[in-house]
Amino acid sequence: MASITEYYAGKSVLITGATGFMGKVLVEKLLWSCPDVKALYILVRPKAGQTMEQRVSHMMKCKLFDRVREANPDFHKKIIPISSELTQPGLSISPEDVEKLSACINIVFHCAATIRFDEPLKHALQLNVIATQELLSLAQRMHHLEAFIHISTAYANCNRKHIDEVIYPPPVEPKKLIESLEWMDDGIVQDITPRLIGDRPNTYTYTKALAEYVVQQEQDKLNIGIIRPSIVGASWQEPFPGWIDNFNGPSGVFIAAGKGILRTMRANNDAVADLIPVDVVVNLTLAVGWYTAVKTYCLYPFKAFSKLVLCLKRNPLEQAFRRPNANITSNYLINQYWILVSHKFPALIYDLFLRLCGQKPQMMRIFNRLHKAIGLLEYFSSQDWEWNSDNISMLMSQLTPEDRTMFNFDVRQLNWPEYIENYCIGTKKYVLNEDMSDIPAARQHLRKLRNIRYTFNTLLVVFIWRVFIARSQMARNIWYFVVNLCFKFLSYFRASSTLTN
Ligand SMILES: CCCCCCCCCCCCCCCCCCCC(=O)SCCNC(=O)CCNC(=O)[C@H](O)C(C)(C)COP(=O)(O)OP(=O)(O)OC[C@H]1O[C@@H](n2cnc3c(N)ncnc32)[C@H](O)[C@@H]1OP(=O)(O)O
Ligand SMILES: NC(=O)C1=CN([C@@H]2O[C@H](COP(=O)(O)OP(=O)(O)OC[C@H]3O[C@@H](n4cnc5c(N)ncnc54)[C@H](OP(=O)(O)O)[C@@H]3O)[C@@H](O)[C@H]2O)C=CC1
C-alpha cells in the first residue's frame, strides 16, 4: 500500500472551510507533508469587505505558513480559490467551476460549518445540513472522486453517555425538517427550537447529528469517512507548538482567565476535558482520507486545569483586570457565590470607579457577555462521555513507521502540562498579538494588582470592624472570645513544646 505522502502525490483536493481554524492547518499540513499534491481547491466567499482573492492572499501571509513559504515560495500556486457561498443554492459555484471540479477532484474534505452555539436553527440547518447535502450532490458529479471526508464533532451525539463509532438514527428526518422550516418565520422557529433539539444543548450539536446522517445516506454512492473531533485546541507540534487563532472553547476560557476576568467556572472536576490539538486532528484527517475511520480522544482531567493559573502567571497577558485565579466546581450554588464575589462585585466596584472618573461603565457589560459564553460551555465541561475509538487504533496499525511519525495522531505521547503551557503562550502571541518581550511589564502589572488586592482587603477588614464590631456589644464579645481562645491555644502550644524540648 502507498504511504500517505505517496497517496496524495498528484491528487487534486477540494477543501471547504479552508479559511477557518482547522481548514488552514489542514491546507498547511498537506502542502508541507505532501509537497507533490497536485492542487488544493478551496471554497471561499468574500467577507467583511474583502474579495475572495484578498482573503486568500491574506491567509497565505499568515505566520502559520512560514515553513511552507520557506520551503517553496511559490506554494500559493497550488492553492486555487473557488468562489462559493455555502448557504446559497448550488453553493453558488459558477457552472464553469462545477465543470472544473467535477473533472479533477480526487478527495473532498468538508470542514465548513457554523460552530456557534447560539446560531438560530434555520441558519445552522442551512449551513451544516443543507450545504452538506449540496456538497454531496456536487461530489457525485466528480468523475475521479476517491474519498469524501466529513468533519463532524464528537458531541453530535452528546445526548448519549456512551458513543460508538456508528451513525445513530437522526433526531428527525432532515428532509422533513427542512421542508417544515421553509414556510415558518424566524419567530416560530425560535419558539419551537428547544422542543426540536430536545436533550441536545444547542443547534450546533443537533445539526451536526443531522449532517452525519445526510452523509451516511450517500455511503453506497461515495466512499465516505466521518471524523468526530472533540474540543479542538492549539497545535501540539506542527507547524509550531501553540498555534491558535480564535476564542472558541478553551481558548476563550484561557484568555478570560489570563486577563483575570474569569475566576470561576462550573466544571466536573472528575470529568475529562476532551481536548485535542488541531495538528493531531489534521493528521488523523489526512490519514482518514487515505483510509477510513472515525473519532479522536484524549485524557486530560478538568482538575488538572488548576495548574493553568500557574501557566497564566508565568506568561501573563497584558493589562489584566485581576490576577488569574481558578475556582472549578460542579456545585451550582458555590459557582454562583464565586460569580458574585469574584466577578460581579469587582465589576461593580470598577464601574463605580469609572463613573467617578467621568467614564462610561463597561465591566458589568463585559461580564454579562462572558457569563453567556461560559454558560454555553457548561454543558460540555460538567459532563463526561465515553467514546469508542477502535477505528483509531485500527488506522494507526495500518500506517508505515514513517507515516506514524509524519502524520502522528497518537496523543498518548503528548505531555499535557507542556501542551497547556504552549497553548497559553499561543493565545497570547497569535490570538491577542501580544509581544513576549512585554512579559516583565505584565508581571509587574500583576504585582501591582496583588498589592491593590491586599490594600483593598485590609481596608475592608477595617471597615467591617468599624461598622459591625465597634458598634455592637455582642459582636465585640464574640470577637474578644475568639481572640482569647486563640491566645489560650497559643500558650498551650508553647507550654507543650517547651515540655517536649
Ligand atoms: C476559571 C478558569 C477555569 C479554567 C478551566 C479550564 C477549563 C477548560 C476549558 C474547557 C472548556 C470546555 C469547552 C467545551 C467546548 C465544547 C466544544 C464542542 C466542540 C465543537 O464541536 S465546536 C467548537 C466550539 N464552538 C465554540 O466554542 C463556539 C462558541 N462560541 C459561540 O457560540 C459565540 O461566539 C458566543 C460565545 C455565543 C458569543 O457570541 P457573541 O456574543 O455574538 O460574540 P461573537 O462570537 O460575535 O464575538 C464577539 C467578539 O468577542 C470575541 N469572543 C468570542 N468569544 C469569546 C470569549 N469566550 N472570550 C473572549 N472573547 C470572545 C470574538 O472574537 C469577537 O471579537 P471581534 O474582535 O471579532 O469582534
Ligand atoms: N473547533 C472545534 O473545537 C471543533 C470543530 N469541529 C468541526 O470542525 C470543522 C471546522 O471547525 P473550525 O475550523 O473550528 O471552524 P471555523 O469557524 O474556524 O471555520 C469555519 C469555516 O467554515 C466557513 N464557512 C462558514 N460559513 C460559510 C458560508 N456560508 N460559506 C462558505 N464558507 C463558510 C468559514 O468561512 P469564512 O472564513 O468565510 O467564515 C470557515 O472557513 C467544523 O465542521 C466543526 O464542526 C468539530 C469539533 C470541534
Side-chain angles (χ1 to χ4, degrees), residues 19-22 45 47 55 85-86 111 204 208 230 232:
T19 49
F21 170 48
M22 214 127 86
R45 57 178 172 169
K47 193 175 162 187
R55 291 192 69 199
E85 167 55 65
L86 297 179
C111 298
Y204 170 66
K208 288 298 267 190
S230 44
V232 183

Side-chain angles (χ1 to χ4, degrees), residues 213-256:
Y213 176 73
V214 160
V215 173
Q216 189 207 26
Q217 293 303 95
E218 305 301 323
Q219 67 180 356
D220 296 337
K221 299 176 208 136
L222 301 171
N223 207 3
I224 60 161
I226 297 180
I227 301 180
R228 290 175 176 164
S230 44
I231 304 164
V232 183
S235 59
W236 169 23
Q237 293 166 317
E238 289 186 275
F240 44 84
W243 163 255
I244 179 78
D245 75 344
N246 62 64
F247 287 96
N248 295 327
S251 318
V253 173
F254 292 175
I255 291 169

Side-chain angles (χ1 to χ4, degrees), residues 115-118 153 155 204 247-249 252 305 369 373 376 380:
I115 63 167
R116 294 181 68 96
F117 292 155
D118 61 345
T153 161
Y155 299 100
Y204 170 66
F247 287 96
N248 295 327
F305 279 110
R369 284 189 63 185
L376 292 169
F380 300 96

Side-chain angles (χ1 to χ4, degrees), residues 302-313:
F302 273 99
K303 53 174 162 268
F305 279 110
S306 48
K307 299 212 176 68
L308 175 70
V309 173
L310 296 177
C311 296
L312 294 171
K313 282 183 180 161

Side-chain angles (χ1 to χ4, degrees), residues 19 42-47 49-60 80-84 97:
T19 49
I42 60 174
L43 299 191
V44 186
R45 57 178 172 169
K47 193 175 162 187
Q50 282 190 306
T51 63
M52 174 188 77
E53 290 79 8
Q54 283 169 331
R55 291 192 69 199
V56 176
S57 121
H58 184 247
M59 173 180 126
M60 285 186 290
I80 305 170
I82 301 281
S83 174
S84 170
D97 283 339

